[in-house]
Amino acid sequence: MSAPAAGGPGVSAPVAPAAWAASDPYAAALRAGRGPLFLRRADGWLLPLEVERWCAAADRADRAALDRCEGRVLDVGCGPGRLVAELAGRGRTALGVDVSEAAVAHTGRLGGRAVRRSVFEPLPGEGRWGTVLLMDGNIGIGGRPCALLERVAQLLAPGGLLIAETAPGDVDERAEVQVVDTGGALTGTPGHPFAWARVGTPALLRYAARAGLRPDAQWSADGRRFAALRTRTRNTTAETANRAAVISSQWPR
């Protein structure tokens, strides 16, 4: 388990990375390519984690979301890398970000690129990404959706696109959870507790407005719900030239 990462410049407060992705049960599930795996709250409530789907190729709903991507794509919480691999197969420039060593390694085996890092740590190409993905419930990373959206706004280029997958209904909840393997088939050991959030589309739009993101589209596919939002455009050409010069030095060589 890595130490909590401080927020980037302008983020309202430090937020811990997605500690569940660094937990032993999660890494074991990725290596096996299967569950059962759950998020468990202190009151015993369980949320199933769709390990088999994450470890498979991108499905129809995934591909429909990826069809909307613009420019360079950053997949935050990329997991085993199916979306990064799909984008790479399309000839798109894409990078995955995940705190799990097993996830980053799996992405590489699929032919994608990924870095082991928290989204709240410095990342390549800040302010230059055309699209940021928060799929598979990753709007919950850190347990503070508003802070995460502020960070995403920093990563995106002016007018850039956020594509987020949301929870069903008007959900807006935060809790401390653990990753657990209830059957004991993987490790039988729960992961460390960490903060997580579940956010439906109405709540996402409320938080997005505070972060300076505006609604662009909403849709459903195969029982999953998605929303696209955009950053504001830049105001001056001088700012454009300055930001481009700074960001160009951050790309991996």
Side-chain angles (χ1 to χ4, degrees), residues 73-76 78 84 93-97 113-115 123-124 129 251-252:
V73 183
L74 183 69
D75 184 7
V76 174
C78 67
V84 178
T93 299
L95 179 69
V97 177
R113 294 175 56 236
V115 293
L123 293 172
W129 293 98
W251 284 91

Side-chain angles (χ1 to χ4, degrees), residues 20 39-42 45 174-179 191-197:
W20 68 279
L39 290 184
R40 183 178 67 193
R41 289 192 314 219
W45 176 87
R174 278 165 273 311
E176 187 172 87
V177 298
Q178 290 176 285
V179 176
H192 296 276
F194 61 95
W196 194 251

